[in-house]
Amino acid sequence: MDEIDALEAERRNLLALAYRMLGTVADAEDAVQETYLRWYRLTGAEREQIANPAAWLTRVAGRVCLDHLGSARARRERYVGEWLPEPVPGESAIAASVPVDPLDRVSLDESVSVALMVVLESLTPAERVAFVLHDIFAVPFAEIAETVGRTPDATRQLASQARRRIRERRAGAASREAHDAVARAFAEATATGDLAALIGVLDPDVVLRADGGGKISAARRPVFGADRVARFLLGLPHLEPAATIEPTRTPEGLAFLVRLHGRADSVISVDVAGDRIVAVYMVRNPDKLTLWR
């Protein structure tokens, strides 16, 4: 394998990494492209000084993502309605394992669940980069320190803070089996229009968030409470009578793909704690359904 082939072989890993940091496929692809551009801008002498090109690419991708995250808040302020991470199919390359050994704290597929990606959005950019690189991709702290511009000890603290916040936010999260059982009950109640049954699988403080990005109709503000969320969901079929709902596999378990006239219209996923749904996520922004077409 020549140098170019070896470098290109890293593209899938870098895309998986960048997605976990940035939350959308388009942003991840842009970050990976910028990473390769920086490599090819190096002189031949500079490249010869790099003992491990794959590690160099990972560090640079992390830096590119860190810069992107630093300006993300301003971009989100201009976003129309709620912003949600892009959902990915369970069989997608981004969700699939990559050839590294992740730590036990979070598996590669779980790390792209919408629920966890939402939590990652609450971290500081440096915390998110340190957590993704170390806890998911097992990059040593000494290397991460070069990416975030901190000492190894400070970088270790960043990852620890991120880990603690994630554990607090994800405490009580259901197992995959329990999640799918509740999701099936949710789907049945929604399909039959059974308001009482639907309220029964929703946590009293459930919140529904929908992301249309201003490009397609969606609730621009969160919907709170079991009764309101249930009535909102049961009203959707009347708005789009031609829509069909298909159970689908995502990294977090069972979710639902809504098709309209044969095209992917939205992906609905649920976050389950115990035996109740605590959050419903609806992504309708067509720019975030690229892997569902």
Side-chain angles (χ1 to χ4, degrees), residues 38-141:
R38 294 189 185 187
W39 170 266
Y40 288 115
R41 288 187 191 123
L42 297 175
T43 65
E46 288 172 328
R47 291 181 201 163
E48 289 179 2
Q49 295 299 313
I50 298 173
N52 187 336
W56 186 93
L57 289 169
T58 296
R59 287 196 299 272
V60 172
R63 184 69 236 180
V64 171
C65 290
L66 182 64
D67 293 342
H68 182 99
L69 288 168
S71 59
R73 182 169 297 178
R75 292 193 302 275
R76 300 284 165 77
E77 289 176 355
R78 300 190 297 271
Y79 196 81
V80 179
E82 291 283 297
W83 187 97
L84 289 172
E86 179 172 346
V88 297
E91 70 277 7
S92 70
I94 288 177
S97 296
V98 292
V100 297
D101 294 325
L103 303 184
D104 291 335
R105 297 186 185 98
V106 58
S107 69
L108 283 165
D109 59 347
E110 291 172 340
S111 68
V112 288
S113 72
V114 173
L116 181 57
M117 293 289 287
V118 167
V119 178
L120 292 182
E121 287 293 314
S122 70
L123 304 179
T124 68
E127 286 174 341
R128 184 168 186 169
V129 170
F131 175 80
V132 170
L133 287 176
H134 183 262
D135 282 49
I136 300 175
F137 288 86
V139 177
F141 283 121

Side-chain angles (χ1 to χ4, degrees), residues 21-275:
M21 292 190 189
L22 302 178
T24 73
V25 174
D27 285 343
E29 289 175 338
D30 288 346
V32 172
Q33 184 66 17
E34 174 61 25
T35 299
Y36 278 98
L37 285 175
R38 294 189 185 187
W39 170 266
Y40 288 115
R41 288 187 191 123
L42 297 175
T43 65
E46 288 172 328
R47 291 181 201 163
E48 289 179 2
Q49 295 299 313
I50 298 173
N52 187 336
W56 186 93
L57 289 169
T58 296
R59 287 196 299 272
V60 172
R63 184 69 236 180
V64 171
C65 290
L66 182 64
D67 293 342
H68 182 99
L69 288 168
S71 59
R73 182 169 297 178
R75 292 193 302 275
R76 300 284 165 77
E77 289 176 355
R78 300 190 297 271
Y79 196 81
V80 179
E82 291 283 297
W83 187 97
L84 289 172
E86 179 172 346
V88 297
E91 70 277 7
S92 70
I94 288 177
S97 296
V98 292
V100 297
D101 294 325
L103 303 184
D104 291 335
R105 297 186 185 98
V106 58
S107 69
L108 283 165
D109 59 347
E110 291 172 340
S111 68
V112 288
S113 72
V114 173
L116 181 57
M117 293 289 287
V118 167
V119 178
L120 292 182
E121 287 293 314
S122 70
L123 304 179
T124 68
E127 286 174 341
R128 184 168 186 169
V129 170
F131 175 80
V132 170
L133 287 176
H134 183 262
D135 282 49
I136 300 175
F137 288 86
V139 177
F141 283 121
E143 295 183 21
I144 301 172
E146 296 182 37
T147 298
V148 298
R150 312 282 181 95
T151 66
D153 285 344
T155 303
R156 184 178 289 103
Q157 183 63 24
L158 285 172
S160 177
Q161 290 168 182
R163 198 177 307 124
R164 182 171 61 252
R165 292 173 65 180
I166 290 169
R167 285 173 176 169
E168 290 172 354
R169 293 281 298 274
R170 298 297 295 146
S175 66
R176 180 67 59 87
E177 293 75 15
H179 172 282
D180 287 359
V182 173
R184 283 190 289 269
F186 166 84
E188 182 177 356
T190 303
T192 59
D194 191 331
L195 178 63
L198 184 53
I199 290 175
V201 299
L202 299 175
D203 185 87
D205 297 321
V206 65
V207 57
L208 179 148
R209 290 184 169 88
D211 181 342
K215 300 184 178 184
I216 194 167
S217 63
R220 293 196 177 185
R221 296 180 180 178
V223 180
F224 295 97
D227 185 75
R228 288 184 177 181
V229 169
R231 293 181 186 278
F232 177 89
L233 289 167
L234 294 183
L236 293 178
H238 300 291
L239 299 177
E240 296 288 359
T244 60
I245 301 178
E246 304 171 8
T248 186
R249 283 288 161 189
T250 65
E252 58 211 307
L254 185 63
F256 306 95
L257 173 61
V258 180
R259 291 189 184 277
L260 187 60
H261 306 303
R263 291 182 57 84
D265 174 81
S266 56
V267 175
I268 302 173
S269 57
V270 296
D271 185 13
V272 180
D275 60 355

